[in-house]
Amino acid sequence: MMQNGDDIVVDPSLNNSVIGIIDSGVGGLTVAKEVMRQLPRETIYYFGDTLRCPYGPRSPEEVRQYTFEMIHFLEQFPLKALLIACNTATAVALEQVQSVLSIPVLGVIKPGARAAIKATREGKIGVIGTQGTIRSQAYKIALEELHPSISVHSLACPTLVPLVENGNRSSPEAYRVVAEALRPFQNKQMDTLILGCTHYPLLADLIHQVMGAHVRIISSAEETASELSTILHHSGLLAQKKKFHRFFATGSAELFAKIASDWLGQKIYAEKVELSSYTLYRKKFFAG
Amino acid sequence: MMQNGDDIVVDPSLNNSVIGIIDSGVGGLTVAKEVMRQLPRETIYYFGDTLRCPYGPRSPEEVRQYTFEMIHFLEQFPLKALLIACNTATAVALEQVQSVLSIPVLGVIKPGARAAIKATREGKIGVIGTQGTIRSQAYKIALEELHPSISVHSLACPTLVPLVENGNRSSPEAYRVVAEALRPFQNKQMDTLILGCTHYPLLADLIHQVMGAHVRIISSAEETASELSTILHHSGLLAQKKKFHRFFATGSAELFAKIASDWLGQKIYAEKVELSSYTLYRKKFFAG
């Protein structure tokens, strides 16, 4: 492009490149929403692998493969940072992704753990997540790495993701489902609770009601967006001007657009992607 | 050092180097306390320029000179990161310090601004600080850089630092002083208040009482420590094992130790430092 008087200014730096966000489906939209809120000048390219969602029950090998397929697709665009907005993928693939990409790569687990340590006053922290995330102990490990004397209670809440996806989030029935899911925590001492699944921020108010006002609720979505802000700032990569966000899904684009428009509170268009042409990428990292 | 079987493991990396914290006096101890709480495996070397405190009324040139003198003193130790735990020094010297040091350097202003943007729901943020900090508009600029549609109310509270330093923080008189200082904010709409001075976290409870439960209080000390955690993590610099913290002061070591022991809730020893031998350093950056 040519510069023509003052009309066109080409920014040769990475600053106005985009932020890639990948997730097994729609859950990572809570992270995207927080990035939009906290960093309104940034542009997001979101990829939801809705066709193969959920990742929770899949093998680590499979989750890693799918994660790299999404990344390979997004790499055709000028990425300046990548968020893995999925707890399962963060738990099994984050370090490998960080080792092969030259841009900052963030997961959702460490930001949540860090924020919980900041918030807790008594060092007693609860974590809720899907069965896969809780089984991986990723939050417990991250918390203990940062702080040797934290006590951690973990609880899998398999009924909460269906509750969110059914869109039935403000009924009395929804309250009952949340209260039932959290019942094992009623007698546990804790002053801070990590929402260890990207779907849960949509239930934050209900969870807060059930747990009581004395328990601080930590949304990994909020914290990951804030940590992205820190990393972009310290890398000199903050954008000056937003371009159009884009949304890609492997499943129905219509369904994705409907959910995304609802959650983000704005009209969203989604593009359907066939990942088959990108699977060769996998061989680059998993050959042998 | 030699490795002898499994007994001695020498870590050749920066991980077990120390974190330098500099401040015009004792205020930055609130930041040090948060680093100790959130990163209990890290070792702090704190420098308080108590002899020349406060920096608020000094010229930017002078504050920059003093800041570099403290840094030059700390550079004799193996530093892996530096916190400028003083709002005045952050406002006038942060960028210059970042440009000459090869380690991560954090100030207290951007972390507070970032946390306020995360916390606010209505985009209405208040900032209190010393006259120097408020006059510099550093928080307002940082907030607007991150978010174009934030509304910011700023207020200098010159009576609060003396209140903290007099040690009279829980009397009814202290409540009256805080209420009086914040009176200009009574009719201002805001849902988030940044404590833009490192002394103020010691008054956080009183400030919360005066402002009301609906206003979220942001402590730059807490947020700076959290941001340090993020930066150390992403730079692969988190420590495995704490060594002894050290505290240096240009004024009375006894007085510093007394205040630090009180604020940190543990017995602190301080070392007195004469900075005159370090002033040559200044010429390196301010020659001309």
Side-chain angles (χ1 to χ4, degrees), chain B residues 66-79:
Chain B
Y66 295 175
T67 301
F68 275 102
E69 284 172 11
M70 292 191 280
I71 292 169
H72 182 44
F73 174 81
L74 285 180
E75 277 194 319
Q76 68 184 292
F77 306 112
L79 296 186

Side-chain angles (χ1 to χ4, degrees), chain B:
Chain B
M1 255 202 276
M2 299 285 292
Q3 255 185 268
N4 179 8
D6 289 322
D7 294 334
I8 304 175
V9 177
V10 180
D11 182 348
S13 75
L14 270 174
N15 293 60
N16 289 320
S17 302
V18 306
I19 292 160
I21 301 184
I22 59 174
D23 181 44
S24 60
V26 292
L29 288 167
T30 59
V31 180
K33 186 173 187 173
E34 276 298 316
V35 174
M36 292 175 191
R37 189 177 73 81
Q38 294 181 39
L39 291 164
R41 291 194 176 92
E42 300 296 334
T43 304
I44 291 167
Y45 281 23
Y46 183 98
F47 195 108
D49 191 7
T50 46
L51 191 68
R52 300 184 293 195
C53 184
Y55 282 4
R58 296 182 187 277
S59 72
E61 192 56 30
E62 230 175 357
V63 171
R64 252 179 241 125
Q65 177 190 326
Y66 295 175
T67 301
F68 275 102
E69 284 172 11
M70 292 191 280
I71 292 169
H72 182 44
F73 174 81
L74 285 180
E75 277 194 319
Q76 68 184 292
F77 306 112
L79 296 186
K80 66 178 176 185
L82 180 77
L83 297 191
I84 304 182
C86 168
N87 282 275
T88 312
T90 297
V92 305
L94 175 64
E95 285 182 20
Q96 195 162 7
V97 175
Q98 285 174 328
S99 74
V100 297
L101 294 190
S102 58
I103 55 174
V105 180
L106 285 78
V108 282
I109 291 173
K110 293 261 166 86
R114 208 181 318 281
I117 284 174
K118 183 173 63 185
T120 186
R121 289 297 168 251
E122 293 151 23
K124 294 177 172 36
I125 296 174
V127 182
I128 54 175
T130 63
Q131 283 176 314
T133 301
I134 296 304
R135 199 168 39 230
S136 78
Q137 298 204 297
Y139 277 97
K140 192 172 157 63
I141 293 165
L143 288 163
E144 290 172 352
E145 260 177 25
L146 282 167
H147 207 298
S149 60
I150 288 286
S151 104
V152 185
H153 296 294
S154 304
L155 179 65
C157 297
T159 56
L160 298 190
V161 167
L163 180 66
V164 171
E165 298 213 336
N166 293 341
N168 177 28
R169 303 195 301 270
S170 49
S171 63
E173 173 58 17
Y175 181 88
R176 275 194 296 275
V177 172
V178 171
E180 185 55 40
L182 295 173
R183 190 178 307 276
F185 268 4
Q186 291 302 303
N187 299 319
K188 295 277 191 290
Q189 293 250 321
M190 65 183 72
D191 63 4
T192 304
L193 177 68
I194 300 175
L195 308 184
C197 169
T198 49
H199 280 70
Y200 296 174
L202 291 149
L203 301 171
D205 288 344
L206 284 179
I207 292 169
H208 210 174
Q209 265 177 266
V210 170
M211 294 300 294
H214 63 291
V215 175
R216 297 176 78 163
I217 305 293
I218 303 295
S219 150
S220 286
E222 255 183 37
E223 302 305 331
T224 302
S226 171
E227 201 148 314
L228 175 67
S229 176
T230 299
I231 297 296
L232 291 181
H233 164 60
H234 281 270
S235 312
L237 287 174
L238 285 168
Q240 280 85 49
K241 195 166 185 301
K242 188 178 87 66
K243 295 171 287 185
F244 287 109
H245 302 309
R246 290 177 71 178
F247 297 86
F248 305 97
T250 50
S252 158
E254 289 69 31
L255 186 59
F256 183 94
K258 187 168 172 291
I259 296 173
S261 299
D262 175 27
W263 289 16
L264 299 177
Q266 56 182 288
K267 182 75 191 150
I268 296 299
Y269 296 90
E271 304 166 52
K272 188 173 163 63
V273 173
E274 300 267 2
L275 272 187
S276 55
S277 56
Y278 294 93
T279 50
L280 275 175
Y281 186 65
R282 178 175 72 94
K283 302 220 170 98
K284 212 164 136 189
F285 300 110
F286 299 95

Side-chain angles (χ1 to χ4, degrees), chain A:
Chain A
M1 253 203 275
M2 300 284 293
Q3 254 184 268
N4 179 8
D6 289 322
D7 294 333
I8 304 174
V9 178
V10 180
D11 182 348
S13 75
L14 271 173
N15 293 59
N16 290 320
S17 302
V18 306
I19 293 161
I21 302 184
I22 59 175
D23 182 43
S24 60
V26 293
L29 287 168
T30 60
V31 180
K33 186 173 187 172
E34 277 298 317
V35 173
M36 292 175 191
R37 190 177 72 81
Q38 294 181 39
L39 292 165
R41 292 194 176 91
E42 300 296 335
T43 304
I44 292 168
Y45 280 23
Y46 183 98
F47 194 107
D49 192 7
T50 46
L51 190 68
R52 301 186 290 196
C53 184
Y55 282 4
R58 296 182 186 275
S59 72
E61 192 56 30
E62 229 173 358
V63 171
R64 253 179 240 124
Q65 178 191 324
Y66 295 176
T67 302
F68 275 103
E69 286 172 11
M70 292 192 278
I71 292 169
H72 182 44
F73 174 81
L74 285 180
E75 276 194 319
Q76 68 184 293
F77 306 112
L79 295 186
K80 65 178 176 185
L82 180 77
L83 297 191
I84 303 181
C86 168
N87 282 274
T88 312
T90 297
V92 305
L94 175 63
E95 284 181 21
Q96 197 163 4
V97 176
Q98 285 175 329
S99 74
V100 297
L101 294 191
S102 58
I103 55 174
V105 180
L106 284 78
V108 282
I109 292 173
K110 293 261 165 89
R114 209 182 316 282
I117 284 174
K118 182 173 65 184
T120 186
R121 289 295 168 254
E122 292 152 24
K124 293 176 172 38
I125 296 174
V127 182
I128 55 176
T130 63
Q131 283 176 315
T133 301
I134 297 303
R135 199 168 41 231
S136 77
Q137 297 205 297
Y139 278 98
K140 192 172 157 63
I141 293 165
L143 288 163
E144 290 172 353
E145 260 176 25
L146 282 168
H147 205 298
S149 59
I150 288 286
S151 105
V152 185
H153 297 294
S154 303
L155 179 65
C157 297
T159 56
L160 298 190
V161 168
L163 180 65
V164 171
E165 299 213 336
N166 293 341
N168 177 27
R169 303 196 300 272
S170 48
S171 64
E173 174 58 17
Y175 180 88
R176 276 194 297 275
V177 172
V178 172
E180 186 54 42
L182 295 173
R183 191 179 306 277
F185 268 3
Q186 291 302 303
N187 300 317
K188 295 278 191 291
Q189 293 250 320
M190 64 184 71
D191 63 4
T192 304
L193 176 68
I194 299 175
L195 308 184
C197 168
T198 50
H199 281 70
Y200 297 174
L202 291 150
L203 301 170
D205 288 344
L206 283 179
I207 292 169
H208 209 174
Q209 265 177 269
V210 170
M211 294 301 292
H214 64 291
V215 175
R216 296 174 80 164
I217 305 293
I218 303 296
S219 149
S220 287
E222 252 183 41
E223 302 304 333
T224 303
S226 170
E227 201 147 312
L228 175 67
S229 176
T230 299
I231 298 296
L232 292 181
H233 164 59
H234 281 270
S235 312
L237 287 175
L238 285 168
Q240 281 86 48
K241 196 166 183 302
K242 188 178 87 65
K243 294 170 287 186
F244 287 109
H245 303 307
R246 289 178 72 178
F247 297 86
F248 306 96
T250 50
S252 158
E254 289 68 31
L255 187 58
F256 184 94
K258 187 168 172 295
I259 296 173
S261 299
D262 176 27
W263 290 16
L264 300 177
Q266 55 183 285
K267 182 76 191 149
I268 296 298
Y269 296 91
E271 304 166 51
K272 188 171 163 67
V273 173
E274 300 268 2
L275 272 187
S276 55
S277 55
Y278 294 92
T279 50
L280 276 174
Y281 187 66
R282 180 175 70 95
K283 302 219 171 100
K284 211 164 139 190
F285 301 109
F286 298 95

